[in-house]
């Protein structure tokens, strides 16, 4: 038997550790995010938001978690039991799998063992392609959940979700193609590196097409992750709760988890593709760790998505389709053409 | 959308620049950073109403401590829901301002609609609607207030104008919850 040498073993261990750390962070993130979302909602509506559980309601997510764990886990009588059970997982796993290809910073050196560690699990040379492919799979959880519930509301919610995904995935992909044309690479690390230097190197400021790409990407992503103003699949007004009408307890929590992780991944992608990733906006004399810029930008976009959620009303279904097919796709095609001419 | 044929250029520019969207975001951001108007009641704030507030009835005394009520029963006649019961009696020991005082003065708060007609009908200004508004309780006994309760001094004295938020303490003994306002620490309401 061939015994692998020590550096290979260390490499494998390192990757395993990174996977565990990222997964733990992603499992933990929805807790502060639910709190933040409710606080933002409260303050935008001139209320206080969660207040009574812990100081400033900080322990509210834990109370919610305990509540969800204690709730009865209902599987409807006529539901497809198997699909009903795995649908939340199908929604959740792709949301997590996206983070395999996402870089969080340049390589750092761990001081004690003096080893260089990369801040990504895998730097694929087709990273962005992988992310688009995997995040598109998340919709299976929603469709199957809606289908397996054997309820009209769930089914319509699932159908809307799939239609929405098909309509907006195209324009998102075109927006990403634009970024790839600007950065000449499909690898996210290279995309970030190409935006280094200063503010003006960011893809967002590649005038006049940068802001257009960014707008298309953000609008399309909002539709992909089913957030207001595009949360037609869980339209409370007309569909009960949409695809998760029949879900309760932990299964429902998994759907919510998937939704929040998807929101984080969209924020991260927006930052990486358009806002220079971990690059600092202006050259500074004092060295600030790049991870700070990365987290700050991502936090801003997470706040931005919540801010939008409590600003805009929900679009009607025909408006959703009009925006997707009649505006975003033609605009993105024209912008690709312009970008192509500009890059000659 | 304009009624005219063709594309309204101004409208198109507005749409391209997301003018309305940005306006909306500005409004919500303004609210987000503005101060919340929520009263943290019952935890640590309590609303002190204005003098004109119509809460639970009070029976008043004159400056010598004599009861103003002369048991004329006009409040009973004026009451649209017949929730007041008055039984008069004769008493010349100086308990009231006249020889006729109320033996029973009882108001059923479940039926009372706090219209204030009793207040208007009262010739001696004995009955007033006070500023107490915490009426929730766990049995029907506390929904009927008797003369003895109503003659008690008010927790919010008449000298305080009201319309303020006072710091409060929330107590939860087994006998029933209570929110006591600290009238020395007050603030204007936020809006």
């Amino acid at each position: 038997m061939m015994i692998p040498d020590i550096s290979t073993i260390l490499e494998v261990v390192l990757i395993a550790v990174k996977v565990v750390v990222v997964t733990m962070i992603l499992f933990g993130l929805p807790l502060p995010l639910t709190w933040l979302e409710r606080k933002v909602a409260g303050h935008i509506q001139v209320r206080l938001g969660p207040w009574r559980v812990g100081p400033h309601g900080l322990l509210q997510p834990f109370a919610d978690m305990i509540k969800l764990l204690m709730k009865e886990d209902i599987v409807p009588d006529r539901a497809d039991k198997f699909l009903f059970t795995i649908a939340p997982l199908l929604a959740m796993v792709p949301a997590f799998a996206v983070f395999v290809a996402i870089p969080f910073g340049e390589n750092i050196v761990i001081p004690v063992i003096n080893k260089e560690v990369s801040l990504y699990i895998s730097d694929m040379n087709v990273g962005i392609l992988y992310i688009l492919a995997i995040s598109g799979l998340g919709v299976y959880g929603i469709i199957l959940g809606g289908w397996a519930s054997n309820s009209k509301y769930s089914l319509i919610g699932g159908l809307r979700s799939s239609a929405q995904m098909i309509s907006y995935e195209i324009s998102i992909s075109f927006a990403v193609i634009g970024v790839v044309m600007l950065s000449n690479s499909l690898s996210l690390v290279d995309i970030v590196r190409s935006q280094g230097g200063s503010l003006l190197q960011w893809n967002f400021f590649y005038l006049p097409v940068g802001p257009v790409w960014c707008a298309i990407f953000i609008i399309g992503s909002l539709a992909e992750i089913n957030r207001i103003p595009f949360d037609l699949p869980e339209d409370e007004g007309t569909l009960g709760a949409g695809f998760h009408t029949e879900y309760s307890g932990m299964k429902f929590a998994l759907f919510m988890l998937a939704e929040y992780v998807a929101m984080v991944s969209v924020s991260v992608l927006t930052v990486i593709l358009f806002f220079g990733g971990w690059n600092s906006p202006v050259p500074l004399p004092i060295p600030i760790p790049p991870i700070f810029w990365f987290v700050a930008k991502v936090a801003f976009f997470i706040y931005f998505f919540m801010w939008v959620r409590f600003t805009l009303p929900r679009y009607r279904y025909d408006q959703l389709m009009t925006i997707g097919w009649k505006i975003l796709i033609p605009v993105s095609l024209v912008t690709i053409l312009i970008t192509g001419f500009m890059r000659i | 959308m304009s009624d005219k044929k063709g594309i309204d250029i101004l409208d198109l520019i507005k749409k391209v620049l997301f003018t309305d969207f940005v306006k909306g975001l500005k409004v919500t951001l303004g609210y987000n950073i503005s101060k919340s108007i929520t009263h943290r009641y019952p935890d640590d704030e309590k609303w002190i109403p204005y003098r004109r507030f119509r809460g639970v009835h009070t029976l008043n005394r004159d400056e010598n401590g004599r009861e103003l009520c002369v048991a004329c029963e006009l409040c009973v006649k004026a009451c649209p829901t017949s929730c007041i019961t008055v039984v008069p009696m004769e008493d010349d020991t100086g308990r009231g301002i006249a020889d006729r005082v109320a033996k029973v003065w009882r108001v059923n708060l479940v039926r009372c609609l706090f219209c204030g007609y009793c207040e208007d009908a009262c010739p001696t200004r004995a009955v007033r609607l006070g500023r107490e508004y915490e009426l929730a309780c766990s049995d029907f006994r506390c929904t009927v207030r008797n003369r003895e309760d109503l003659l008690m001094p008010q927790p919010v004295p008449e000298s305080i104008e009201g319309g303020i938020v006072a710091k409060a303490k929330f107590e939860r003994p087994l006998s029933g919850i209570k929110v006591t306002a600290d009238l020395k620490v007050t603030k204007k309401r936020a809006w």
Side-chain angles (χ1 to χ4, degrees):
Chain A
M1 195 178 95
M2 204 184 80
I3 297 167
D5 60 355
I6 191 78
S7 69
T8 319
I9 294 173
L10 199 63
E11 207 60 40
V12 170
V13 168
L14 205 61
I15 288 176
V17 167
K18 276 193 260 184
V19 168
V20 169
V21 167
V22 169
T23 316
M24 282 300 123
I25 290 175
L26 288 181
F27 264 113
L29 259 182
L31 292 179
L33 286 185
T34 48
W35 176 84
L36 187 71
E37 177 131 43
R38 292 178 62 182
K39 271 292 185 193
V40 169
H43 282 277
I44 282 180
Q45 293 159 4
V46 212
R47 298 183 283 116
L48 283 170
W51 185 265
R52 302 202 59 177
V53 190
H56 287 256
L58 269 172
L59 299 178
Q60 185 71 45
F62 295 99
D64 286 343
M65 198 172 71
I66 292 168
K67 182 197 77 174
L68 283 169
L69 280 170
M70 308 259 281
K71 274 202 166 179
E72 188 188 351
D73 195 4
I74 301 167
V75 179
D77 224 18
R78 304 279 295 278
D80 185 322
K81 305 245 165 13
F82 176 66
L83 283 183
F84 191 82
T85 314
I86 65 162
L89 292 173
L90 284 179
M92 194 184 72
V93 170
F96 279 70
V98 162
F99 278 83
V100 169
I102 285 179
F104 299 95
E106 292 286 351
N107 295 357
I108 53 164
V109 178
I110 294 178
V112 183
I113 54 171
N114 205 17
K115 181 161 172 43
E116 199 175 84
V117 176
S118 53
L119 285 182
Y120 43 79
I121 295 172
S122 150
D123 176 23
M124 299 178 202
N125 53 8
V126 288
I128 188 67
L129 216 58
Y130 165 82
I131 286 173
L132 283 179
I134 292 292
S135 64
L137 288 179
V139 78
Y140 274 105
I142 294 173
I143 298 172
L144 288 178
W147 169 257
S149 299
N150 197 9
S151 144
K152 50 189 171 301
Y153 297 133
S154 305
L155 182 59
I156 295 172
L159 287 178
R160 283 187 181 181
S161 176
S162 58
Q164 200 165 309
M165 211 280 289
I166 291 168
S167 315
Y168 283 83
E169 187 79 29
I170 302 170
S171 36
I172 290 183
S173 311
F174 277 140
V176 168
I177 287 176
V179 173
V180 171
M181 286 164 90
L182 300 184
S183 299
N184 290 325
S185 173
L186 283 166
S187 151
L188 288 171
V189 180
D190 289 342
I191 289 175
V192 174
R193 278 186 195 137
S194 76
Q195 300 176 62
S198 76
L199 203 69
L200 296 173
Q201 301 295 315
W202 292 0
N203 284 339
F204 182 78
F205 293 102
Y206 190 79
L207 296 171
V209 288
V212 181
W213 287 134
C214 187
I216 292 172
F217 185 80
I218 287 180
I219 293 172
S221 303
L222 276 176
E224 279 259 304
I225 59 176
N226 301 330
R227 280 185 75 81
I228 283 178
F230 301 107
D231 70 333
L232 272 292
E234 42 188 295
D235 182 352
E236 297 92 351
T238 52
L239 291 186
F243 64 89
H244 55 62
T245 309
E246 305 293 338
Y247 280 89
S248 63
M250 265 337 266
K251 293 203 186 85
F252 170 74
L254 291 184
F255 271 125
M256 285 294 107
L257 191 71
E259 206 162 285
Y260 277 103
V261 171
M263 185 171 76
V264 174
S265 67
V266 165
S267 308
V268 167
L269 279 180
T270 314
V271 168
I272 286 178
L273 294 179
F274 298 100
F275 292 91
W278 51 83
N279 294 313
S280 94
V282 277
L284 288 169
I286 338 142
I288 290 176
I291 195 77
F292 165 80
W293 291 114
F294 189 72
V295 171
K297 288 174 193 172
V298 171
F300 171 78
F301 276 97
I302 288 173
Y303 173 75
F304 177 76
F305 288 137
M306 292 177 179
W307 184 12
V308 169
R309 170 168 181 182
F310 296 103
T311 302
L312 296 181
R314 181 181 296 117
Y315 280 112
R316 235 171 32 227
Y317 196 65
D318 61 316
Q319 291 172 329
L320 174 95
M321 286 296 153
T322 312
I323 294 171
W325 290 102
K326 289 191 184 166
I327 300 174
L328 289 189
I329 290 178
V331 167
S332 58
L333 282 170
V334 170
T335 323
I336 280 195
L337 199 67
I338 298 172
T339 316
F341 279 122
M342 285 174 74
R343 298 298 287 179
I344 289 173
Chain B
M1 275 288 161
S2 65
D3 300 332
K4 284 177 287 182
K5 275 242 169 181
I7 305 163
D8 189 337
I9 299 293
L10 202 68
D11 197 51
L12 189 72
I13 291 171
K14 269 188 184 169
K15 271 187 186 149
V16 168
L17 293 178
F18 293 104
T19 321
D20 295 337
F21 177 54
V22 172
K23 256 187 216 164
L25 284 181
K26 240 194 269 175
V27 170
T28 42
L29 184 68
Y31 279 120
N32 196 347
I33 56 181
S34 74
K35 219 167 148 39
S36 156
I37 59 169
T38 309
H39 291 171
R40 292 195 301 280
Y41 174 83
D43 287 329
D44 46 22
E45 285 175 352
K46 185 176 175 177
W47 170 242
I48 306 295
Y50 292 98
R51 287 199 191 106
R52 60 171 182 263
F53 187 80
R54 297 201 296 246
V56 178
H57 307 66
T58 65
L59 287 175
N60 296 310
R61 298 169 191 271
D62 70 356
E63 57 274 16
N64 301 323
R66 295 180 299 172
E67 288 172 30
L68 284 168
C69 181
V70 294
C72 62
E73 297 176 57
L74 279 177
C75 45
V76 181
K77 305 279 192 312
C79 184
T81 58
S82 316
C83 65
I84 303 174
T85 314
V86 178
V87 177
M89 68 184 254
E90 216 157 286
D91 188 323
D92 50 9
T93 58
R95 201 182 94 187
I97 55 168
D99 285 352
R100 190 180 149 111
V101 294
K103 185 179 177 186
V104 174
W105 200 102
R106 190 167 55 212
V107 56
N108 186 346
L109 291 179
V110 178
R111 273 161 60 185
C112 178
L113 50 83
F114 302 98
C115 61
Y117 281 9
C118 46
E119 201 178 24
D120 294 344
C122 190
T124 59
R125 287 170 166 263
V127 57
R128 297 285 308 278
L129 294 186
R131 288 193 247 189
E132 194 197 328
Y133 54 83
E134 285 159 334
L135 302 173
C137 54
S138 51
D139 62 27
F140 272 116
R141 265 173 305 176
C142 64
T143 64
V144 177
R145 298 286 165 96
N146 279 308
R147 195 181 63 93
E148 293 77 26
D149 312 327
L150 301 177
L151 276 167
M152 290 292 197
Q154 288 294 295
V156 182
E158 195 65 22
S159 56
I160 288 175
E161 200 192 334
I164 46 175
V165 182
K167 195 170 162 42
K169 217 170 97 197
F170 185 33
E171 287 158 296
R172 292 188 253 196
L174 281 175
S175 54
I177 56 172
K178 208 165 59 180
V179 187
T180 21
D182 179 5
L183 292 169
K184 289 186 197 78
V185 190
T186 60
K187 60 173 190 186
K188 284 253 172 273
R189 62 176 168 189
W191 73 98

